[in-house]
Each structure stands twice: as structure tokens, then as C-alpha cells.
Amino acid sequence: MPVIAPMPAARPARIPSQRDGSDETAATAAAGTTVDHLTETYRAHYRSLLGLAALLLDDTASCEDVVQEAFIRVHSARKRVRDPEKTLAYLRQTVVNLSRSTLRRRILGMKLLSKPMPDMASAEEGAYDQLERRDLIKAMKGLQRRQREVLVLRYFADMTEAQVAETLGISLGSVKAYGSRGIAALRVAMGTPA
């Protein structure tokens, strides 16, 4: 993208001659804002647009960036500005929109930065947890089928003893017996004291 200098040098206006198709040049000028008109608008209104951006933003660098970006965008869309008298209005609206976008990005950045980092386990803790989980799974596989079913439903599926009994089709006393024997067997398998 071209960078617009604060005070561009004046370029002489191109005067169409009869032999280079003055009808095409007149049609192009009527179809949008000319570069010369945009340059003159830049010279005449740069400071006022900078002031407009300063009312919306708080630092000079952002204001300058917004105003220059506004001129770049209007320059690239100058064929859509059919009435050259509306060029300044397009520029003002573009400055306001770009200022809003800048503020939106800042607010989003502040929201993201203000959130504390989540407490995460260190790599050692994660590795230790995986080893414990692997040992637990290995110990669970060593249990009798009914003991394993009762423990999984009771502690991993978070069911009550009555729900486990109903699910497995066994008595409440059997659930308690299988559960206590299974926990005892897990303690022995994992080397945990009772």
C-alpha cells in the first residue's frame, strides 16, 4: 500500500487533448473523484481530520495512522465517490469507522490481557498424574469383573449404591461387599496403605 506523506508535492493537472480521447477522460472524471482532487482535499483537510481522530483516540501515532489509512482507502475506492464534493464526507466517515475499529481492538486486547493465566500443572505433575492413572487402570483390570463394575459405576459414573444395585441387578448388600473388596484389592495392587 502506498504511504501518504503529510504534505504531498503538487502535481500539475493533466489537460486532455483532442487526440487522446477527451470523451474517455471526461467520462472517467465524471465516474469518480480524481487523484488531484483527493490530493487537494488531503492538503486542505489533513489537520482537521487529524483533530477528528484525536477526539476519538488518545495517542498521536494512532491518529496519524487512522487518517493516513482513511486517505488510502478513499483513494483506492475513489471511483465509487461519484460526487467530488462528497470526498470530504467519505474521508470523515472513514476516519470515524477506523477510529472505532482501533478502539474495539484495544478493548479486546485489554479484556484478553486482564484475564489471569489459568493454573496449570507443571510438566512433572502431568507426568506423575499419567503414571498414577496408568497404574490405576492396570490395577482395575486385575480386579474381578463384578468388583470392577461396582467401582466404575459407583465412583466414576457417580451413582449411588442403590442405582448401582439396580443397574447390575444385584442386591444392595452385594454392591457394598463388592465395593469394599474391590477397594481393598486396589490398595494392595497400588501399594497404598489402608
Side-chain angles (χ1 to χ4, degrees), residues 22-33:
S22 60
D23 292 336
E24 286 180 25
T25 308
T28 305
T33 301

Side-chain angles (χ1 to χ4, degrees), residues 72-98:
I72 290 169
R73 288 189 182 192
V74 172
H75 178 272
S76 62
R78 67 186 180 278
K79 298 217 185 299
R80 287 186 280 168
V81 183
R82 301 210 185 275
D83 185 5
E85 298 299 318
K86 293 184 179 180
T87 304
L88 183 59
Y90 278 99
L91 282 166
R92 285 184 182 138
Q93 188 61 48
T94 305
V95 167
V96 169
N97 290 342
L98 289 171

